[in-house]
Amino acid sequence: VQLSRAVQVKGTADRLRNLPRNWTLASTCTGSGSFELAADCVCTALNYHMDDDTLFKDSTSYRTFKGNLDVLNYSRPMWVALENVDVGDCSDDDSNGAVISKLLKETGYHTRMVLLEACQFGLPQRRVRLFILGVHIERAQAELMSSPENILNELVTIYLPAMKLSCPSVDFFLRPHDDDDIVDELHRRQDKLLKKAEQSKDNDQEQPNPDAKGEKWKELHMNLAASRNLSWPIKIPKDLRDNSWFKTIPTREQEVSWPTFFSVR
């Protein structure tokens, strides 16, 4: 749906026909690989071919960014897309955003920073992230016959709004409760808890109570909440306490997740 909306933008079909049919994607630190999956879906829909390569999966933030700059400087790809948490307003000369923009420009790229939220593009998640979109200055002028400023202006003001999509119900993304993979995962968690309980039972050595320190802080927080007329901890309903999945998550996750679950449902 989102791709078809973008293709319908005036002049887009002609541009696509003039692009090379073979694309190359190089990625670094993309986590679960969603970026590669999205790019592959786009190429499949457009009947393009894509070769992809993961350059490196993890490193410190600085080394990762430095490595990206080295790759960009060597291979000069047409496009670059970076994603992270917000790094500051570029209007401040000493902000992280301004430094990143400066370094990318020195590498040959004109960039634009945009804040995007996942739920505006069809995903049931409130996740705001900063995207840094860049196009190679010389290649844009020579191969796309347009200035980098105009290209990024169209991308941000025309194509991104065209691809926005209302988020469907969370149930749309969930598998049935009796799905084989779901059942297997529940059994795996239950077996893990059972083994942990058996190991604890078989351990005859006296050990200090691991929850003693936690109970001290819990009491402190409860007293603080009471002094401010706050209801905490919130009592977990019996039907949720008896839920098989709920039993498999740690106590702190239970305390945090059930009010969220209750409010969403």
Side-chain angles (χ1 to χ4, degrees), residues 84-101 112-115 129-132:
N84 210 322
V85 295
D86 193 358
V87 293
D89 188 351
C90 288
S91 61
D92 298 329
D93 292 339
D94 60 348
S95 71
N96 287 339
V99 173
I100 290 173
S101 295
R112 185 69 56 84
M113 294 189 178
V114 290
L115 284 174
R129 284 295 182 270
L130 176 76
F131 286 82
I132 304 172

Side-chain angles (χ1 to χ4, degrees), residues 64-199:
T64 299
F65 182 62
K66 178 63 168 57
N68 283 326
L69 291 179
D70 292 341
V71 171
L72 295 177
N73 192 50
Y74 175 78
S75 59
R76 300 173 72 247
M78 178 71 79
W79 294 97
V80 59
L82 306 175
E83 175 268 343
N84 210 322
V85 295
D86 193 358
V87 293
D89 188 351
C90 288
S91 61
D92 298 329
D93 292 339
D94 60 348
S95 71
N96 287 339
V99 173
I100 290 173
S101 295
K102 178 177 179 293
L103 291 173
L104 285 170
K105 186 174 182 179
E106 292 175 353
T107 311
Y109 288 86
H110 186 72
T111 59
R112 185 69 56 84
M113 294 189 178
V114 290
L115 284 174
L116 302 177
E117 188 167 7
C119 63
Q120 295 180 336
F121 294 87
L123 294 175
Q125 187 180 41
R126 293 189 298 271
R127 183 182 177 88
V128 178
R129 284 295 182 270
L130 176 76
F131 286 82
I132 304 172
L133 310 173
V135 61
H136 196 277
I137 299 172
E138 292 183 3
R139 292 191 61 184
Q141 294 168 338
E143 301 173 39
L144 301 180
M145 305 301 178
S146 183
S147 70
E149 293 85 353
N150 289 340
I151 292 172
L152 292 179
N153 279 341
E154 288 191 9
L155 178 62
V156 172
T157 63
I158 299 177
Y159 287 100
L160 283 179
M163 290 188 288
K164 287 189 175 182
L165 188 67
S166 298
C167 181
S169 168
V170 175
D171 292 336
F172 176 81
F173 296 87
L174 299 179
R175 289 186 178 184
H177 70 278
D178 57 352
D179 182 279
D180 289 342
D181 289 340
I182 301 298
V183 174
D184 289 345
E185 174 62 15
L186 177 59
H187 289 164
R188 185 192 69 80
R189 291 178 175 222
Q190 291 173 329
D191 290 343
K192 183 178 179 180
L193 283 178
L194 183 60
K195 290 178 181 179
K196 186 176 180 180
E198 291 174 349
Q199 289 174 355

